[in-house]
Amino acid sequence: MEIIMTVLASILFAIGVYNLLQKQLLRIVVGTVLVSHGAHLYLLTMSKLKRGAPPVLEDGVTQYADPLPQALILTAIVISFGVTSFLLVLAYRTYTLNKTDNMEELRGNEHD
Amino acid sequence: MIFAIFAPLIIAILIPFLSRWKEKVHTGWLILPVPVAVFIYFVQFAGPNFEPQAYSVDWIPSLDISLSFYLDGLSLLFALLISGIGALVVFYSIYYLNNKEQLGHFYTYLYIFMFAMLGVVLSDNVFVLYTFWEFTSISSFLLIGYWHHRQKSRYGALKSMLITVFGGLSLLGGLILLTIVTGTTSIREMVSQSDVILESSYLPLILTFLLLGAFTKSAQFPFHIWLPDAMEAPTPVSAYLHSATMVKAGIYLMARFSPIFAGEPNFFIFLSLFGIVTLAWGSFMAVRQTDLKGILAYSTISQLGMIMAMLGFGTEIALFAAVFHILNHATFKGSLFMVAGIVDHETGTRDIRNLGGLMTFMPISATLALFGTFSMAGVPLPFLNGFFSKEMFFEATLANAGYGGFSDFLVILIPILAVVGSIFTFVYSMYLFFGTFRGEYQKEKVPQEPHEAPKLMLLAPFILVIGVITIALFPGFFNQGLITHAADAVTGAENNRDIYFWHGLVPAFYMSIAVVVVGALLYIFKPKWDGVYRVFPGTLSFNRVYDWGVEKLETGSNAITSRYMTGSLRLYMALLLSAIFLITTTVLILTGGANFEVNDVAPITTVEVIVAIIMTVAAVATIFTHNRIGMILVVGVIGFGLAILFVLYRAPDLALTQLIVETVTVTLFMLCFYHLPNLEKAKQSITHKTINIAISSGVGLLMMVIGISAYNSRSFDSISDYFIENSSELGGGYNAVNVILVDFRGIDTLFEVAVLFGAALGIYAMIKLRRDKGAK
């Protein structure tokens, strides 16, 4: 199962990177979302899947899923959420100010 | 001793305050006592019973760098030249520069230079030597560019800076290698380990670096090109830096290391070859010049080449003659520059084609120039010191023994080039004197009515000419007090050579006579043959190479930068990702990190495979969707798919968070997309598309390979058992993930909260703050 999940994460990476290389701002934002999804899945996969119960302690259960990667992913989800929402608003502002969402046209101005 | 070295620096700091009163008294008068005092301080060491002095203060003990100074004969000779000619130059400059100039700047630079130069010749520690060395480059740069409103001054200053700093840096390389080889930073200890250096495998590198440093500083062929352009500096500077002191720093360096390398075949070949070629080329080119200072610049180049060649010979007589000529050259060349400055000052031109017949107007200057030029030419008269050292030079050229191979050829070549160079030296010396002071006075070409300079302005060159004559008349006195000790320092042995005017009918005498006769004939018939310069070198010159190099360097680097710094984020992204891909793949291949052995995996179940397929389809769909609502939904599908996977993989908290976050993100997307244009079909070229596909699939594949290999090569167990075992006992909770988040690893959570807070603030600021509203 882990192999399939690794492949899935890699597909998410590849498509995220492809979106990052596009010109439209929104595609770039979508690209970052895909890459972070890929990274989260990757993290979870690397810590072995389905080895026991959810990490909520119960009497009589000896085998639990690894709680540490879950904590890490939780942190990562929240952070990438913050970054994504920031990027979205940034894209929105960029568009309203510059009247374009084409990255090739956004090349600074003569004062740079 | 340390006070003598640092005195000019201390005064240089005070000069800006002193120069405020320049309306009342010329700044030069106020600071003139400093070099005089330094000179007197050093003179007291000179004498037949000279003993070397050492002095040391800690500077950076941990790096074995201390301000250690060592005064032996060679250092004493240089220190006397620096402080003595320094005093004369300051005195001369009082009359040369008037109050309207920025005197504060001038004297500050000049005194920093004097300090640096004293430091160079007295340092025993190689790194201290290098520090002072670069100080001379910097102060020389400032002095050449003194009249910075002139384009030519700036050009000359930049050129000298680039060339001498290039040499300075290679010198640093050489000194570091010497330190590594010998394990000491003291020059004296390096000399005592001369055999270690000569046997070291670094020897070729050390020699190359040191020679580059010396050749650039002392304007040796082909690095001589900066010196003629440095003539844009005020004449006192040219007289001081570019004839007597700084350009001899390279000579000093070679003389200082001479006890180590003398007798080393490559040292002989390179130093002698470049020195003798510089001698011939410099004197040949000097005849072609029309500017008085231009002639003197090329003359300096050629005389420095002569000294450098003698240092290369490494024989006892050659080293003695080299030291002797350092003194002689400083005296006559300093006086000639000052006379050239006087001529410029009094007539308004330095172009020798416009000058002539000044003898009647400026008899004293003419007399001074007569002694200077004839001494430079090596005319055999008993009161001209130039002849003494030149004859010794001829004697030395004949006394070389080869080391086999090319050096044997060089031994034959040296006397020939020496005679040729001396003939041209004779020609330009005569040209310089007769062209300026004899012949027709061309009234219409001279901007000012010429008249004799003020008496005190003539005093400095007069003193130097007195030096020329007394050295020649009483060579024994200078020999006993100074030159022998300097030669001792260079050869590393006792010298008991006497200086005589008459050597008898030796070969060197015939060479001198030949130089005078052929030189006189060539000078008389100069108009008949000087057309040869139009053929050779014609328009060929190393300046062109330099200009071409500087220009190409600039345009080339501009072209390279504008090729990849296009401002296109896509390109930067592509470059970054390709670099990551290439580097990681190389490392993977080199270390054999890829490992596809499959073991210890969970069983495959249908539900997950279906979810994975759906997510894949959705991900692929993001590329092809051109409908913004479609795009949001597709992204949502991937996020919710991930949440389902979290559920399946026993991560309830993750699934919960992922669901909420995905919902909010989709909502946000909706909000923004409403204001954004539709995703039009991207117009991208086939090449771009191919490159994008290649990069993204490359990155994806790489991640896959790394993921699988990493999964299969686990080196130790997880530490998670600790968290499971202790979460209720130590953390007081049953949900291990939550206990980790707020208890075991609470700091992470704190800053994650800070990130969210920052993002929220940023979003608020972006929406609310619109500074440009007023402008619109």
Side-chain angles (χ1 to χ4, degrees), chain B residues 455-575:
Chain B
K455 293 274 178 300
L456 285 173
M457 192 173 186
L458 288 165
L459 187 60
F462 179 73
I463 292 173
L464 284 172
V465 168
I466 293 291
V468 168
I469 297 169
T470 45
I471 292 171
L473 290 181
F474 308 105
F477 174 73
F478 285 91
N479 188 6
Q480 295 293 317
L482 194 58
I483 298 163
T484 306
H485 304 307
D488 287 351
V490 178
T491 54
E494 289 274 317
N495 281 275
N496 291 310
R497 189 167 291 274
D498 282 330
I499 304 170
Y500 293 117
F501 173 66
W502 180 248
H503 276 125
L505 294 172
V506 288
F509 178 74
Y510 295 121
M511 286 163 89
S512 289
I513 295 299
V515 165
V516 173
V517 172
V518 179
L521 286 174
L522 273 181
Y523 171 65
I524 292 164
F525 297 108
K526 180 171 179 287
K528 292 229 164 79
W529 61 269
D530 64 2
V532 77
Y533 284 105
R534 282 196 293 278
V535 184
F536 181 79
T539 53
L540 283 175
S541 86
F542 287 96
N543 282 318
R544 294 198 154 201
V545 178
Y546 166 83
D547 290 336
W548 180 85
V550 169
E551 196 206 312
K552 283 290 166 235
L553 204 65
E554 209 167 295
T555 53
S557 53
N558 264 340
I560 292 172
T561 310
S562 56
R563 264 198 84 76
Y564 73 89
M565 296 289 285
T566 56
S568 155
L569 281 183
R570 196 202 76 85
L571 178 65
Y572 302 159
M573 200 74 203
L575 288 177

Side-chain angles (χ1 to χ4, degrees), chain B residues 714-775:
Chain B
R714 221 167 264 273
S715 31
F716 41 79
D717 283 334
S718 163
I719 55 164
S720 299
D721 292 340
Y722 173 83
F723 294 121
I724 300 278
E725 279 160 23
N726 293 299
S727 86
S728 72
E729 199 172 316
L730 295 177
Y734 295 101
N735 186 331
V737 175
N738 289 2
V739 170
I740 292 174
L741 280 175
V742 297
D743 197 322
F744 290 120
R745 301 180 55 91
I747 302 279
D748 286 0
T749 313
L750 175 67
F751 288 105
E752 156 200 345
V753 170
V755 166
L756 265 194
F757 183 67
L761 266 186
I763 290 167
Y764 180 80
M766 269 198 293
I767 292 174
K768 282 287 172 187
L769 298 181
R770 307 217 165 163
R771 201 164 288 170
D772 56 341
K773 224 174 200 175

